[in-house]
Amino acid sequence: MASEDFHDINMALLDPVAPLLHKLLAGEPLSAEELLLLQEWQERSSDNKALLDRLEMSAAVQDMLKKWYAIEKNREEKKLLGMHRVHQLTPPIHTRVHFLRRRFVRYAAAGLLLLGTGAYLWTLRQHREPSLAHASSAETIAPGRDGAVLTLADGSRVVLDSMGNGVIANQQGVPVSLQNGQLAYGPISSSGEEMVYNTISTPRGRQFKVLLPDGSKVWLNAASALRYPTAFTGKDRRVTLEGEAYFEIAKNAAMPFKVAVGNTTEVEVLGTSFNINSYKNESTIKTTLLEGVVRLHAYQQSQTLKPGQQVSITPSKEKMEPAHEADPEQVMAWKNGLFKFDDASLPEVMRELERWYDIEVTYAKGIPPIRFGGEINKQNTLQDVLQILEESNVHFKLEQGRKLVVMP
C-alpha cells in the first residue's frame, strides 16, 4: 500500500483503536484486552490489516511522517506567503504571526493527533539535528520535566527529581512521601503545638504536583514556589505563592482556603479550581476561575469571580482591573503541555521559553514589533520551537551556556 493510499482510509474505523495505535507507536505495552480489541479490528478488513502492518514497519512510518510533514509545511508556507502579500498591500502597525499546532501526521497512524496527544510524533520518534543556521554548534536543549526542591522546616533541602517512591521526611509528626511524581502529606501521628511550614519550589525547566495536607491539589509551573503548613489548623487554610500554579481546593466551608500573592493580594477560596499567574517579571497578577467561587482582595478593593472570569492586578499602579471573560484553554495550556499564544508579544513568548527551557534571552537592536498566535507542544526541543517562531520576521542565535539572542 502506498503512502498516498492512507488518505482513502475510512477514519471512522480508527476511532475505537486510535488510542491503541498511539500506544503502539509510542512503544507502550498493551493489555490483553487491548490486544484482543486490536486483533478484532485488524480482522475486519484487509485495509485495517495493511495499515497495522505498515505501522509496525518503522521505515514506512518515517516515510509517511516525512511526506505529511512536507504537506503541512507547504500548506503553512503558502498561508504565510498570502499573509505577507496582504501586509504589502496594507502595511500593518504590528506584524502578527499565526502558526498552526504542528500536526505532522494527519491520517491513519496520525489519527492519534485527533486525541489531543499531538505528541509531535515527528519530533518524538525521530532525532533531528538543530534546524537553526546559527545553532549548529550549540547543544540541543530538551524540554522541561517534572521535578522540584522541597525545603523543610529546619531549612534542609530535598531534591525530588530523581527520588523514588516512599517517605522522604517527617515534619512534626506528619509523614511526607513521594508517590509517582506527587508530593503528599499524611495524617498527624503525634501532637505538636508549633505550626511548621514547608516550601516546594520548581526551578526553571521543572514543574510539579503537590497534594496538600487537606487534600487540595496544586500544580506548580516552572520557576514557582508554594509555602504551606504541614497541617492546617485554626480558622482558615493559608498558603503563599510565587510564580504560577493551578489549584483544585478540597471543600471545607468552615475553613476557607486563602492564597497570598506578594504583599498586597489575597485570593479567598471556597471549594474551587483556579489558576494564578504571579511571576515577578510579568506586569500583572492574573487570577482565573475555572470552577466555584473566589474573592480577590488587593489595594483596598475586592471582587468576586464567576467561572470563566479573570481579574488582573497591576502592582505598579496599585490597581485591580474589572473582571472579564478569559479563555480557559489558554490559561490552562501550560498544565496541559502546550504553549498557547493569543496575540502575545515577542517578549511574552520569550519569557515562557526562558522558564520552560531554562535559558537566558537577550535582544539585538532592530527587532520588529511582532505578535504571535497559535499552539506549540511543550515537549518539543527548544530548537524545534525556535524553528516554528522563525516563520515570522525574527531570527535566533543559540550560543553556548544556554544563551539565546533574538535578532531581526
Side-chain angles (χ1 to χ4, degrees), residues 226-228 232 237-241 247 257-260:
L226 184 75
R227 184 175 184 267
Y228 52 90
F232 288 110
R237 298 167 286 170
R238 291 179 176 269
V239 301
T240 303
L241 173 68
F247 295 79
F257 194 98
K258 297 181 179 181
V259 183

Side-chain angles (χ1 to χ4, degrees), residues 304-322:
T304 301
L305 292 186
K306 298 179 181 178
Q309 289 187 328
Q310 180 181 93
V311 164
S312 296
I313 296 171
T314 308
S316 63
K317 298 180 180 179
E318 299 187 357
K319 182 179 180 181
M320 180 188 296
E321 300 291 341

Side-chain angles (χ1 to χ4, degrees), residues 256-304:
F257 194 98
K258 297 181 179 181
V259 183
V261 182
N263 298 321
T264 58
T265 302
E266 182 180 83
V267 180
E268 182 180 355
V269 187
L270 292 173
T272 189
S273 58
F274 59 99
N275 191 84
I276 299 177
N277 184 318
S278 63
Y279 287 111
K280 292 182 179 179
N281 62 350
E282 301 290 348
S283 61
T284 60
I285 298 171
K286 296 179 180 179
T287 301
T288 309
L289 179 63
L290 282 300
E291 181 182 346
V293 178
V294 298
R295 187 176 300 114
L296 273 77
H297 307 277
Y299 304 111
Q300 291 77 52
Q301 304 174 59
S302 296
Q303 285 195 62
T304 301

Side-chain angles (χ1 to χ4, degrees), residues 195-254:
M195 180 178 290
V196 298
Y197 287 83
N198 285 179
T199 299
I200 187 78
S201 55
T202 51
R204 294 196 300 187
R206 297 290 185 271
Q207 61 184 25
F208 207 72
K209 180 182 177 182
V210 184
L211 183 64
L212 295 178
D214 66 335
S216 297
K217 300 174 182 178
V218 184
W219 287 258
L220 278 179
N221 201 352
S224 302
L226 184 75
R227 184 175 184 267
Y228 52 90
T230 58
F232 288 110
T233 59
K235 297 181 180 179
D236 54 27
R237 298 167 286 170
R238 291 179 176 269
V239 301
T240 303
L241 173 68
E242 294 181 9
E244 183 169 22
Y246 168 70
F247 295 79
E248 290 183 355
I249 303 304
K251 293 183 178 180
N252 185 346

Side-chain angles (χ1 to χ4, degrees), residues 60 99 106 133 135 146 157 159 169 171 213 276 322 325 336 361 402 408:
F99 42 86
R106 298 184 64 84
D146 287 346
R157 292 156 60 90
V159 179
Q171 297 287 273
I276 299 177
E325 294 298 318
N336 297 329
V361 177
R402 308 180 80 89

Side-chain angles (χ1 to χ4, degrees), residues 169-185:
N170 190 294
Q171 297 287 273
Q172 294 292 100
V174 178
V176 186
S177 61
L178 188 64
Q179 295 293 333
N180 300 322
Q182 173 182 278
L183 192 67
Y185 287 76

